[in-house]
């Protein structure tokens, strides 16, 4: 599981708006799961779903090809 700020730090040059839009789109497509914890302050974590994990071999192959 990864928190929003950690994702934003790892992606460096992405705006909060763009990251939020992309995460919502991935959630709508069932690629990621958004878990909200009822704490103060609220904590939100993102994780890959089974569908999201299934694309990992394809992305790894593309990355290897790109190198």
């Amino acid at each position: 599981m990864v928190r929003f700020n950690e994702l934003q730090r790892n992606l460096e040059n992405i705006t909060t708006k763009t990251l939020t839009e992309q995460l919502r789109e991935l959630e709508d497509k069932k690629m990621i799961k958004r878990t909200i914890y009822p704490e103060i302050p609220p904590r939100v974590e993102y994780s890959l779903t089974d569908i999201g994990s299934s694309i990992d071999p394809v992305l790894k192959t593309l990355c290897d090809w790109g190198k």
Side-chain angles (χ1 to χ4, degrees):
M1 293 198 164
V2 182
R3 294 181 72 173
F4 184 89
N5 288 337
E6 186 178 351
L7 283 171
Q8 194 168 28
R9 267 193 310 273
N10 289 338
L11 295 171
E12 294 178 12
N13 295 323
I14 192 166
T15 66
T16 300
K17 180 181 182 230
T18 300
L19 180 55
T20 299
E21 289 171 355
Q22 291 298 308
L23 289 171
R24 285 184 183 152
E25 184 177 332
L26 290 169
E27 186 179 12
D28 288 344
K29 294 180 186 228
K30 310 286 190 234
M31 300 291 287
I32 63 171
K33 178 183 176 188
R34 182 175 184 243
T35 306
I36 304 168
Y37 296 92
E39 303 172 345
I40 297 176
R43 179 170 51 115
V44 178
E45 293 182 342
Y46 297 90
S47 58
L48 286 174
T49 62
D50 290 340
I51 294 170
S53 295
S54 71
I55 198 168
D56 188 48
V58 174
L59 295 177
K60 184 178 181 330
T61 301
L62 281 172
C63 184
D64 292 344
W65 175 79
K67 290 178 185 175

